[in-house]
C-alpha cells in the first residue's frame, strides 16, 4: 500500500460525508481535518449543514480543499453556488467522490433538495466516479460534472487499485498547484511592496 499524502501546511481539509469512515480517507496522512456530517432531511438540517460549511471554511487556516462523498457532493455544490464570494474564495478546490452511488438513485430529488443556480462552481473541482464510461451511471455522473464545471475521473471497479491510485495522483497534482499558486501570489506581493 502506498504511503499517505501529507497536505501542504497551508491547505486545510474540510470533509462532508454521511459515513464516519470513507474509502478514500487513508489517502491523507494528516488527521487534522474538519468533518461535517451530512444530514439534509429537513430545511433546518440543510441550513445547519450550510452554516457548518461556512464556519469550517471561514475558520480554516489557509486555503481549503473540500472533499465530499455521495449526496454530500450535491450539498457542497449548493453551498458553493449560494454562499458569499468571500467564503468560497477561500476554497482552492474540491474532490467529489461518487456523487451518484447507485444506478437507481434519484438525482432529480437531490437536485430539487439542493436547488441552486445552474452555474459552474467558483473553484476547480474533480468528480471521481462512474465505473464504465458507457454505463448509464457514468453518463449521469458525467452530466453532473459538466454542470458543476468539474473534471471527471472514471475507473472500472474491476481494477481495485486503479481509482485510488488515480485519486492519489490527482490530489498530489492539486496540492502542488495550490503551493505553486501561493508562491506566485507571495512573489507578486513582494514585487508590489518593493515597487512602492
Amino acid at each position: 500500500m502506498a504511503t499517505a499524502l501529507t497536505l501542504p501546511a497551508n491547505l486545510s481539509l474540510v470533509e462532508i460525508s454521511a459515513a464516519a469512515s470513507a474509502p478514500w480517507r487513508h489517502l491523507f496522512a494528516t488527521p487534522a481535518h474538519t468533518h461535517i456530517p451530512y444530514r439534509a432531511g429537513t430545511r433546518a438540517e440543510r441550513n445547519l449543514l450550510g452554516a457548518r460549511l461556512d464556519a469550517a471554511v471561514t475558520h480554516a487556516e489557509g486555503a481549503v480543499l473540500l472533499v465530499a462523498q455521495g449526496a454530500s457532493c450535491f450539498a457542497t455544490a449548493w453551498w458553493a453556488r449560494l454562499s458569499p464570494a468571500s467564503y468560497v474564495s477561500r476554497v482552492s478546490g474540491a474532490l467529489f467522490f461518487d456523487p451518484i452511488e447507485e444506478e437507481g438513485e434519484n438525482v432529480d430529488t437531490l437536485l430539487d433538495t439542493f436547488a441552486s443556480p445552474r452555474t459552474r462552481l467558483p473553484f476547480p473541482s474533480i468528480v471521481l466516479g462512474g465505473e464504465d464510461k458507457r454505463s448509464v451511471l457514468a453518463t449521469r455522473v458525467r452530466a453532473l460534472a459538466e454542470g458543476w464545471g468539474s473534471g471527471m475521473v472514471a475507473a472500472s471497479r474491476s481494477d481495485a487499485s486503479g481509482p485510488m491510485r488515480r485519486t492519489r495522483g490527482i490530489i498530489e497534482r492539486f496540492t502542488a498547484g495550490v503551493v505553486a499558486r501561493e508562491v506566485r501570489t507571495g512573489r507578486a506581493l513582494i514585487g508590489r511592496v518593493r515597487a512602492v
Side-chain angles (χ1 to χ4, degrees):
M1 182 177 190
T3 57
L5 294 168
T6 302
L7 295 177
N10 63 336
L11 188 63
S12 297
L13 179 66
V14 175
E15 170 202 342
I16 309 95
S17 67
S21 64
W24 45 265
R25 192 165 293 149
H26 72 277
L27 291 170
F28 301 103
T30 177
H33 73 281
T34 302
H35 175 255
I36 299 171
Y38 171 79
R39 289 186 198 90
T42 66
R43 177 177 286 185
E45 287 178 338
R46 288 191 296 278
N47 289 341
L48 181 58
L49 178 63
R52 286 180 172 160
L53 262 166
D54 287 346
V57 169
T58 57
H59 292 107
E61 293 183 18
V64 173
L65 170 62
L66 295 175
V67 181
Q69 181 176 5
S72 301
C73 301
F74 292 84
T76 304
W78 164 78
W79 173 84
R81 288 170 164 168
L82 296 176
S83 291
S86 60
Y87 290 11
V88 295
S89 66
R90 300 198 54 163
V91 177
S92 290
L95 297 173
F96 296 122
F97 286 85
D98 295 318
I100 306 172
E101 297 179 286
E102 297 175 13
E103 193 71 49
E105 195 167 354
N106 192 339
V107 175
D108 293 334
T109 299
L110 285 168
L111 289 171
D112 289 343
T113 298
F114 295 107
S116 60
R118 299 280 190 243
T119 58
R120 296 168 68 92
L121 299 183
F123 43 74
S125 57
I126 299 171
V127 173
L128 300 111
E131 302 174 25
D132 181 342
K133 291 182 180 181
R134 297 171 304 243
S135 75
V136 173
L137 178 61
T139 301
R140 296 172 79 198
V141 171
R142 211 170 17 258
L144 277 177
E146 288 172 10
W148 291 337
S150 304
M152 183 169 164
V153 176
S156 170
R157 292 185 196 250
S158 62
D159 177 9
S161 64
M164 286 300 122
R165 185 175 57 242
R166 214 169 295 160
T167 300
R168 179 184 169 82
I170 288 165
I171 295 168
E172 287 172 336
R173 288 191 301 277
F174 173 81
T175 55
V178 169
V179 171
R181 185 171 57 230
E182 295 289 326
V183 169
R184 285 192 306 273
T185 302
R187 286 181 180 158
L189 288 173
I190 288 170
R192 287 182 192 158
V193 169
R194 288 183 179 160
V196 170

